[in-house]
Amino acid sequence: MSARYVGGPFHGGVNPDDFIDQIDMRTPAGSGRYVLDRDEHDRPIYRWEPEVAVGEG
């Protein structure tokens, strides 16, 4: 089964490998990670968690 990206640089895209727990990223569009989660229908999704710079959070 595939997992949809929610938020972040790949928002709206799909990853065919829904067995990966976390994907760390550094891109011109932002840094953070996609974390495997479940949506309101219990389907796997990758939810974006932006990286917070030191002193910002």
Side-chain angles (χ1 to χ4, degrees):
M1 181 174 225
S2 60
R4 169 173 67 88
Y5 290 106
V6 177
F10 293 161
H11 182 75
V14 176
N15 185 329
D17 302 322
D18 67 351
F19 58 85
I20 299 170
D21 291 333
Q22 179 174 301
I23 304 167
D24 293 319
M25 299 184 71
R26 295 203 190 313
T27 73
S31 296
R33 65 181 163 265
Y34 281 103
V35 178
L36 187 59
D37 199 356
R38 295 275 177 183
D39 69 6
E40 61 276 0
H41 301 289
D42 203 35
R43 294 178 296 214
I45 61 170
Y46 284 107
R47 187 169 315 279
W48 179 250
E49 292 184 355
E51 183 175 282
V52 177
V54 175
E56 287 186 17

